[in-house]
Amino acid sequence: MGRHRKQQPATVSRSSVIALTGLVPAGVVATNAAAAVATDPTAASVAMQVSALNAEPGSTAAPAAIDPYAMHAMARQSPEARIEVKSVALDPNRARNELPVAASGIPGIAEAAYINAAQILSEENPDCNMPWTMLAGIGRVESTHMNNGGADADGNALAPVFGPVLDGSLSGNNVIHDSDRAVGPMQFLPQTWTSFAADGNRDGISDPQNYYDATLTAGKYLCSGGMDMRDPAQQTRAILRYNNSMAYVANVMAWEQSYQTGIAPRPAELPKI
């Protein structure tokens, strides 16, 4: 995953329902931070900062290890009824949502989805301590908040969001068949979505092209395995599940900090992914 994998939304009619079956997000690679440091120009500095935060006094900080394929450690399941996993066929002439842009610059529909997901996670998985601004950082890097809020009043994408073909030519990406391109504003591969699918708007359907569903699913995925987002090292490992690039981590954290403080990131804080 990551902004480097984005392309303009494909001109695909919403009448074509996407069947979702499968597993593993686009950027996950079974490796460790040492390998990331060796291949990413920003990795050394980010890894050093994360390690220093957790080092014992007087000890030598070492790069934090990435937990590979955290797919077997599931987040706490919600008490909701069984949900149907699919993309819903909708009228292509639906009106755009009318929520105003937030003070942070985030489209209103996007901010509402991030805050909604964080609130649900605080009830279902309080130990994760997920801030809505972290989800906003992911959404900003992954799809520029669903192409600047391109969704209807219910959070459904006006034009389906698809990632590029994953043929191994982009840094940090596995080789994936074209049929398994990442989908939705939070850019999930179908197989991963099936494993973590959540119903953020409580309509009985988990649709990766719905902002509320996609954001809650992203939160469940990031929190899985007992992660605590108050711990910088654990937060870093969680973000690396999305895209195994320390530059990607730096971008997400820079936008997260921006949404917390209201201060725009400096160019140096947004290394090329």
Side-chain angles (χ1 to χ4, degrees):
M1 298 187 180
R3 186 170 52 189
H4 62 290
R5 289 181 43 204
K6 295 292 145 322
Q7 63 181 24
Q8 294 299 317
T11 55
V12 178
S13 172
R14 286 286 282 175
S15 62
S16 59
V17 177
I18 304 172
L20 298 176
T21 58
L23 189 60
V24 187
V28 171
V29 176
T31 183
N32 54 41
V37 170
T39 59
D40 193 303
T42 63
S45 60
V46 177
M48 184 178 297
Q49 293 175 20
V50 172
S51 299
L53 289 170
N54 294 297
E56 294 294 332
S59 66
T60 301
I66 302 168
D67 53 328
Y69 292 97
M71 307 306 296
H72 301 295
M74 298 293 288
R76 182 180 303 174
Q77 298 298 310
S78 71
E80 65 195 11
R82 182 178 180 83
I83 58 177
E84 186 176 2
V85 180
K86 67 178 182 179
S87 280
V88 182
L90 298 171
D91 182 350
N93 298 316
R94 289 165 293 126
R96 185 186 179 94
N97 74 88
E98 298 180 352
L99 291 178
V101 175
S104 61
I106 300 175
I109 190 71
E111 185 181 66
Y114 301 139
I115 292 174
N116 176 71
Q119 290 175 338
I120 293 175
L121 289 167
S122 71
E123 299 172 358
E124 298 179 0
N125 193 353
D127 293 337
C128 180
N129 298 293
M130 173 63 74
W132 73 266
T133 50
M134 180 177 170
L135 296 172
I138 295 283
R140 172 60 176 79
V141 176
E142 288 297 336
S143 67
T144 316
H145 308 303
M146 195 188 271
N147 298 310
N148 295 311
D152 63 20
D154 295 321
N156 299 304
L158 296 178
V161 181
F162 293 103
V165 176
L166 303 179
D167 58 4
S169 63
L170 298 176
S171 176
N173 288 323
N174 287 330
V175 176
I176 303 294
H177 295 297
D178 185 36
S179 60
D180 281 342
R181 293 164 66 184
V183 297
M186 303 302 271
Q187 289 290 275
F188 273 89
L189 287 182
Q191 292 182 337
T192 310
W193 182 272
T194 301
S195 294
F196 289 87
D199 178 12
N201 58 359
R202 299 302 195 245
D203 65 352
I205 296 172
S206 181
D207 184 349
Q209 300 287 0
N210 177 276
Y211 221 140
Y212 292 97
D213 295 350
T215 305
L216 182 56
T217 299
K220 286 179 60 179
Y221 178 57
L222 291 163
C223 289
S224 65
M227 289 291 190
D228 183 352
M229 297 304 110
R230 292 179 303 181
D231 181 337
Q234 292 188 48
Q235 183 185 43
T236 296
R237 289 196 292 272
I239 297 172
L240 283 168
R241 293 172 176 174
Y242 245 90
N243 187 322
N244 189 42
S245 162
M246 296 303 284
Y248 180 85
V249 173
N251 273 260
V252 170
M253 288 186 169
W255 284 112
E256 175 187 5
Q257 182 69 13
S258 173
Y259 297 139
Q260 289 177 353
T261 64
I263 301 173
R266 295 172 298 171
E269 296 175 315
L270 300 171
K272 183 178 180 180
I273 300 173

